[in-house]
Amino acid sequence: MIKFLKRTLRRSTKFPYIHIRQRSKASLVIVKDLSSRCKTEAEQKLYQQLRARLYYPTPNYYVQGVLISLALVPFKLAFIESHPGINQSRISRQLRKKGWQVVYFDAESLLHDENRYVNKLLQAAPEPIKNVSS
């Protein structure tokens, strides 16, 4: 019990004199086929293209009350479908505060020319980590 308290509590000279250390969430995600959770056809196509390029997106991921259409959680990269009535500057600001990069995509452009548009979207993403286990 004492070890737990030493790990979670921190003393300071300012009021309140005891602070609780916050635990960060794990950045690793269990890999499952979540294509059935995609809401639109454009999300489904983008999901399939990302999986084909060895990325593992998570559909319908929430960060601080913001719904992200597809998220690459370990890279903190959010793909959000743009449509009228969405406040892009507010969403971008909220997610940037949490360390996320935001990329907006147009569903019609994605469905029209899939490969070229996905390549343009993935310029913001880092290279996927290769599996080196033997």
Side-chain angles (χ1 to χ4, degrees), residues 17 66 85 96:
Y17 301 105
V66 176
R96 269 196 318 249

Side-chain angles (χ1 to χ4, degrees), residues 37-115:
R37 289 178 47 192
C38 294
K39 293 180 181 176
T40 63
E41 185 181 350
E43 285 181 21
Q44 189 111 24
K45 294 258 187 194
L46 183 57
Y47 181 88
Q48 291 168 354
Q49 287 290 326
L50 290 171
R51 285 295 300 260
R53 288 173 170 82
L54 299 178
Y55 291 101
Y56 297 102
T58 305
N60 302 324
Y61 191 76
Y62 281 94
V63 174
Q64 199 156 15
V66 176
L67 175 65
I68 299 173
S69 300
L70 286 172
L72 296 176
V73 178
F75 302 116
K76 288 195 171 185
L77 182 63
F79 294 105
I80 299 177
E81 186 174 347
S82 62
H83 50 80
I86 186 171
N87 190 348
Q88 292 184 357
S89 61
R90 181 186 65 83
I91 291 172
S92 296
R93 191 176 338 108
Q94 273 186 312
L95 293 177
R96 269 196 318 249
K97 284 181 184 177
K98 290 293 182 182
W100 284 75
Q101 282 184 305
V102 182
V103 178
Y104 292 97
F105 68 92
D106 183 36
E108 293 177 16
S109 301
L110 179 67
L111 292 174
H112 178 68
D113 192 5
E114 186 176 320
N115 287 328

Side-chain angles (χ1 to χ4, degrees), residues 1 6 8 11-12 14-16 64 74-75 77 85 88-89 106 129 131:
M1 182 69 171
K6 285 183 178 180
T8 57
R11 292 185 342 181
S12 77
K14 296 180 181 178
F15 184 81
Q64 199 156 15
F75 302 116
L77 182 63
Q88 292 184 357
S89 61
D106 183 36
I129 299 170
N131 188 0

